[in-house]
Amino acid sequence: MAVSKCTRLNGPLIKQMLDSVDSVLFDCDGVIWRGDQAIPGAPDVINLLKKNGKKVFFVTNNSTKTRKMYADKLALMGFNAAEDEVFGTAYCSAMYLKHVSRLQGKVYLIGSNAMRQELEKVGIQQTGVGPDPISGVQIDWANVPLDPEVKAVVVGFDEHFSYMKLNRALQYLNNPDCLLVGTNTDTRLPLEGGKAVPGTGCILKAVETAAQRQAQTVGKPNHFMYDCVASQFGLDRTRCLMVGDRLDTDILLGSNCGLKTLLTLTGVSTVADAEAHQESGCPKRLGMVPDYYVESIAELLPALQG
């Protein structure tokens, strides 16, 4: 479709756009739900897309839930969703280590129980989940006991992140053959009322800084998350739509992978943000300009019901 970027999607253009895609990838928080509440109309949009023959997938940088936990949450909110349609960074990290890195050994995991479960589901053992209290003095820290079977450090969201965990990651990564993998680089997690808390990107940056290494990340905007979906479901990127509320993760993922992109204004980014990127002329920032935007994905309903 020959249209300018950052086009307001409405009227006949909605049906035209939907007819041009076979598969739709949705970010979750800020797009189909906020916290524990579905965005009004979102379950109907998802369910009608499927009824109309579209493939629907859920892609999230949140590493604190397994695929099953997400599928259960979706079902509770009234979404018709299967576990194998959910692609979170806990699962994608496991896929990366198993099928790309072909890891032979254990993982030192700075992350959640959900990440541990997804790793163990594909046969990868881990150490590190939970608190790691500090003791001794600096020379003790530099000689902290290490598991010789650990061949990778994996960093996700970890509410127990500490100086000792950072130190232990550094000691493992002093071995140049030890891999460093991160779930995502989001530095802030926006909350209701304009509040925010530090995101995984802050933890990952600390580990990268200490180890003087750069991590391979698997979450949005890295193309690996799309590759995970495409390899399992045989997607045609020219007939895929990425729907998200963040320009720097969701929309950039779509641009990086050659997908059509739709920004919804129920989450983080604004039209003004997108227009600023468009006017910058900077190639990287232009990748954060969506093809289309809507106030809410509920605006797709009339075209789907018609």
Side-chain angles (χ1 to χ4, degrees):
M1 249 178 295
V3 296
S4 61
K5 298 276 274 184
C6 208
T7 299
R8 178 73 162 90
L9 195 60
N10 54 26
L13 189 57
I14 296 177
K15 184 176 187 307
Q16 190 183 350
M17 187 276 293
L18 289 173
D19 287 345
S20 74
V21 299
D22 302 320
S23 306
V24 188
L25 284 67
F26 286 93
D27 175 49
C28 295
D29 200 15
V31 176
I32 62 172
W33 67 56
R34 282 201 203 95
D36 292 319
Q37 296 292 320
I39 298 282
D44 294 328
V45 169
I46 301 296
N47 299 345
L48 282 169
L49 280 168
K50 289 187 157 192
K51 189 177 177 183
N52 291 350
K54 308 294 185 188
K55 293 178 182 175
V56 174
F57 305 97
F58 307 92
V59 291
T60 172
N61 275 356
N62 188 326
S63 63
T64 65
K65 291 183 174 66
T66 62
R67 302 179 97 187
K68 183 179 187 311
M69 290 162 72
Y70 268 116
D72 290 347
K73 178 172 180 172
L74 285 158
L76 276 173
M77 290 184 176
F79 293 94
N80 171 14
E83 188 175 332
D84 68 352
E85 295 167 340
V86 177
F87 290 79
T89 49
Y91 171 76
C92 289
S93 297
M95 289 295 99
Y96 181 84
L97 291 165
K98 181 80 172 176
H99 298 294
V100 179
S101 300
R102 302 191 181 279
L103 183 73
Q104 300 292 318
K106 289 184 184 176
V107 159
Y108 175 59
L109 178 59
I110 296 175
S112 63
N113 268 312
M115 293 185 69
R116 175 184 60 77
Q117 290 173 47
E118 294 288 19
L119 288 170
E120 292 180 349
K121 197 175 281 188
V122 299
I124 297 173
Q125 297 303 304
Q126 61 74 46
T127 180
V129 170
D132 190 357
I134 198 162
S135 61
V137 294
Q138 289 178 346
I139 193 64
D140 301 314
W141 307 340
N143 291 286
V144 70
L146 301 178
D147 186 331
E149 294 182 45
V150 166
K151 305 298 181 187
V153 171
V154 178
V155 182
F157 186 80
D158 189 342
E159 63 191 28
H160 299 293
F161 185 61
S162 63
Y163 182 84
M164 186 49 74
K165 288 196 171 193
L166 178 61
N167 171 66
R168 207 178 291 273
L170 164 59
Q171 305 311 324
Y172 280 119
L173 291 166
N174 277 333
N175 176 357
D177 294 328
C178 185
L179 301 174
L180 175 56
V181 176
T183 55
N184 61 294
T185 57
D186 303 48
T187 53
R188 288 161 64 92
L189 302 177
L191 305 175
E192 293 294 314
K195 294 186 180 294
V197 293
T200 302
C202 299
I203 300 173
L204 181 58
K205 183 60 75 176
V207 174
E208 288 179 327
T209 303
Q212 299 180 347
R213 301 262 300 269
Q214 186 162 8
Q216 170 64 50
T217 56
V218 300
K220 299 172 290 186
N222 189 292
H223 64 83
F224 181 74
M225 186 164 258
Y226 169 77
D227 294 344
C228 250
V229 186
S231 63
Q232 292 182 32
F233 288 89
L235 306 189
D236 174 358
R237 69 181 66 239
T238 66
R239 294 190 60 82
C240 285
L241 174 70
M242 176 68 216
V243 185
D245 70 309
R246 292 183 70 136
L247 300 174
D248 60 342
T249 55
D250 307 321
I251 302 307
L252 188 54
L253 169 74
S255 297
N256 286 342
C257 298
L259 319 179
K260 297 176 181 69
T261 54
L262 173 63
L263 173 70
T264 175
L265 304 179
T266 47
V268 174
S269 299
T270 67
V271 174
D273 295 333
E275 289 172 343
H277 289 314
Q278 190 163 26
E279 290 161 10
S280 73
C282 167
K284 184 176 179 183
R285 292 182 66 185
L286 288 174
M288 292 186 261
V289 180
D291 294 315
Y292 310 101
Y293 71 90
V294 288
E295 290 292 331
S296 160
I297 63 165
E299 293 182 25
L300 304 182
L301 272 177
L304 291 167
Q305 291 165 333

